[in-house]
Amino acid sequence: MERVIHSAADLDYATDLVMAEADLVQAHAALHAGAPVVVDVEMVGAGITRRETVCRLRDAEAGPGLTRSAHAIRLAYEQVGPGALWVIGNAPTALEELLTLDADPALVIGLPVGFVGAVESKAALRESGLPAVSNVSEKGGSAVAAAALNALLYHPTSAEEKL
């Protein structure tokens, strides 16, 4: 929560973020064991340090009933399979598409921003039962999504805590 608040300079995230400690513990372990990190846009990936990310937006194409962002999520899932950490900070349609897949994620950081579809897609994420970090308002974006993932990256592992 602290990294998200700091990245946005917005104290409202203290009451807006929704997450479960058990999900974060499991996601931390998966991340530090090398699970892939998938992002919806390159800006989210640019904010994630210490880790390569997968972003397939450049390869994606919109089609009937399918946004470019949704297609990028399909392409990324074909590439990484189950067990990835998904970081969505821009496109509600990317989050909606992820929820249609049998992605079995280690964690979904679902923080798309905007007035069209963002609140609804985040509510659907919370209702899905998937391990997740989300928020209830229209707020979100690349910086806060990357900050949430970086919090897991920079939190020490058990081995590092013993040093």
Side-chain angles (χ1 to χ4, degrees):
M1 184 178 310
E2 290 174 13
R3 282 189 182 266
V4 169
I5 290 169
H6 185 263
S7 71
D10 187 343
L11 294 173
D12 288 345
Y13 278 107
T15 57
D16 194 37
L17 282 173
V18 179
M19 59 195 134
E21 188 73 25
D23 291 345
L24 297 176
V25 169
Q26 291 178 348
H28 181 267
L31 181 63
H32 288 276
V37 176
V38 179
V39 298
D40 64 332
V41 294
E42 290 182 23
M43 184 61 100
V44 173
I48 295 173
T49 55
R50 294 173 133 187
R51 202 54 193 273
E52 293 294 319
T53 60
V54 173
C55 181
R56 297 297 303 273
L57 191 58
R58 288 183 185 220
D59 305 319
E61 297 179 5
L66 184 70
T67 66
R68 195 167 152 238
S69 294
H71 186 225
I73 294 301
R74 287 184 188 178
L75 293 173
Y77 179 66
E78 289 172 7
Q79 180 178 339
V80 303
L85 286 90
W86 295 79
V87 188
I88 298 173
N90 185 268
T93 59
L95 183 53
E96 291 165 1
E97 184 64 26
L98 179 60
L99 295 177
T100 69
L101 302 174
D102 188 21
D104 191 24
L107 182 70
V108 179
I109 296 175
L111 294 168
V113 63
F115 293 113
V116 180
V119 169
E120 296 82 1
S121 67
K122 291 181 272 192
L125 172 60
R126 290 189 301 278
E127 292 168 9
S128 74
L130 294 174
V133 173
S134 70
N135 67 314
V136 297
S137 74
E138 295 85 358
K139 296 178 184 185
S142 298
V144 296
L149 193 279
N150 282 337
L152 293 172
L153 272 175
Y154 285 102
H155 189 78
T157 62
S158 297
E160 291 170 336
E161 289 173 348
K162 294 176 183 176
L163 295 177

